[in-house]
Amino acid sequence: MFFRLTRRFWLRLVVAAIFLLPLIWLLTAALHPVGRPLPTSLTFSLDLTLQNFRRVWELVPFGRFTLNSLLVVLLAVPLTLITSSWAGFGMAQLPKPSQRRWIVLSLAVLMVPGVALWVTRFLLYTRLGWYDSILALIAPAFMGSSPFFVLMFYRAFRRIPTAIYEAARLEGSGVLASWWQIGLPSARPTAVGVAILSFVLYWGDFVSPLLYLRSESRYTLPIALQLLQQLTLSDWPLLMAGAVLATAVPVGLFLLLQPYFARLGH
């Protein structure tokens, strides 16, 4: 028994090291001295400096870009959860032939490449007056952000027995009450998964700010990294420092949610 636990512990440690290795290399590269080329192999040196992080804040308005990214995810993630769960809940209430048709339609929309929507979205946002505003960045959230999120919620709501919904209707519960009191509590793990995926989607979105924003004051963190690369093409420690700052929020959020993930696992 002890040998089995030890073997499992070492296996988990190896898997964790594999996933943490890129982050460790990213951090050590960000702490590399200025003007010295990055090593071509995995080496560790005590000659580290925080000067690259100071230079990031001096060269670009990194704080402003960070606040813009936080504002985008704080608006887009709740909207995505609401609209995608509504769509998934509505699909789960339909007759089975209608459910199959909507599943096929969702999969077909999911196969459409994002580049095919750039021009259409640009024209639509311009006509609506959303160009060069935060609405252009969070507009997909009003439609669930992705058909994949809708299908995730549909699968979660479909597992709930129909008799429970019918009993709620007999008690006088409406559609929204059934969604809030029956559907969402049962789909809590799915909601957490959709929230994390949508957070990563909007936090790392580079194309939308580049296409639909004109004012530098509204740029987000991916644009900041691009600006750093354009300013100093060969200064990789500076770019790695910006990447560390941009990655700190998602990594910190993941660590904060670890106790919740552990409870879901049990």
Side-chain angles (χ1 to χ4, degrees), residues 64 83 89 107 115 131 136 143 158 166 169 182 193 198 215 217 224-225 227 248 250 252 260 266:
R64 179 63 181 175
T83 54
F89 187 79
L107 292 174
V115 65
Y131 179 70
M143 296 165 283
R158 191 68 184 86
E166 294 176 350
R169 293 193 195 99
I182 299 174
S198 60
S215 304
S217 61
L225 297 180
L227 292 176
Y260 183 76
H266 295 292

Side-chain angles (χ1 to χ4, degrees), residues 164-240:
I164 297 179
Y165 293 124
E166 294 176 350
R169 293 193 195 99
L170 292 176
E171 293 293 332
S173 297
V175 176
L176 288 179
S178 299
W179 164 77
W180 179 257
Q181 298 175 0
I182 299 174
L184 277 186
S186 301
R188 192 173 300 165
T190 301
V192 174
V194 170
I196 294 175
L197 291 175
S198 60
F199 180 93
V200 174
L201 175 66
Y202 286 98
W203 185 264
D205 187 12
F206 170 73
V207 174
S208 295
L210 188 66
L211 291 177
Y212 310 130
L213 295 181
R214 182 178 63 243
S215 304
E216 182 179 333
S217 61
R218 295 186 175 92
Y219 284 164
T220 54
L221 280 178
I223 302 297
L225 297 180
Q226 181 66 22
L227 292 176
L228 286 175
Q229 186 180 21
Q230 293 175 353
L231 288 172
T232 53
L233 294 177
S234 60
D235 196 346
W236 290 105
L238 178 67
L239 185 59
M240 294 301 103

Side-chain angles (χ1 to χ4, degrees), residues 10-253:
W10 285 109
L11 179 61
R12 292 179 178 179
L13 188 62
V14 170
V15 172
I18 293 174
F19 281 94
L20 288 175
L21 188 60
L23 295 178
I24 296 174
W25 183 88
L26 179 66
L27 182 59
T28 55
L31 297 173
H32 204 69
V34 180
R36 189 180 303 175
L38 292 177
T40 57
S41 60
L42 291 176
T43 59
F44 181 77
S45 174
L46 294 178
D47 188 12
L48 305 176
T49 179
L50 295 175
Q51 186 176 355
N52 294 314
F53 293 96
R54 291 194 295 267
R55 294 169 62 212
V56 167
W57 291 89
E58 294 172 356
L59 292 175
V60 296
F62 213 83
R64 179 63 181 175
F65 293 166
T66 302
L67 292 177
N68 291 339
S69 292
L70 287 174
L71 181 59
V72 169
V73 297
L74 288 176
L75 293 175
V77 172
L79 281 173
T80 298
L81 289 174
I82 293 174
T83 54
S84 60
S85 63
W86 280 353
F89 187 79
M91 288 175 59
Q93 304 303 307
L94 294 173
K96 288 188 177 180
S98 298
Q99 292 182 18
R100 286 193 289 268
R101 286 193 291 269
W102 280 103
I103 290 174
V104 172
L105 179 61
S106 299
L107 292 174
V109 174
L110 192 59
M111 296 180 195
V112 176
V115 65
L117 304 175
W118 290 352
V119 176
T120 306
R121 287 181 175 178
F122 182 85
L123 295 175
L124 181 62
Y125 296 161
T126 303
R127 292 292 181 88
L128 292 175
W130 292 359
Y131 179 70
D132 196 28
S133 72
I134 194 173
L135 290 174
L137 304 184
I138 66 172
F142 290 99
M143 296 165 283
S145 294
S146 171
F148 179 65
F149 299 156
V150 176
L151 292 175
M152 288 178 63
F153 273 112
Y154 162 77
R155 179 60 179 168
F157 294 139
R158 191 68 184 86
R159 295 177 181 177
I160 303 174
T162 309
I164 297 179
Y165 293 124
E166 294 176 350
R169 293 193 195 99
L170 292 176
E171 293 293 332
S173 297
V175 176
L176 288 179
S178 299
W179 164 77
W180 179 257
Q181 298 175 0
I182 299 174
L184 277 186
S186 301
R188 192 173 300 165
T190 301
V192 174
V194 170
I196 294 175
L197 291 175
S198 60
F199 180 93
V200 174
L201 175 66
Y202 286 98
W203 185 264
D205 187 12
F206 170 73
V207 174
S208 295
L210 188 66
L211 291 177
Y212 310 130
L213 295 181
R214 182 178 63 243
S215 304
E216 182 179 333
S217 61
R218 295 186 175 92
Y219 284 164
T220 54
L221 280 178
I223 302 297
L225 297 180
Q226 181 66 22
L227 292 176
L228 286 175
Q229 186 180 21
Q230 293 175 353
L231 288 172
T232 53
L233 294 177
S234 60
D235 196 346
W236 290 105
L238 178 67
L239 185 59
M240 294 301 103
V244 167
L245 293 175
T247 310
V249 173
V251 172
L253 179 65

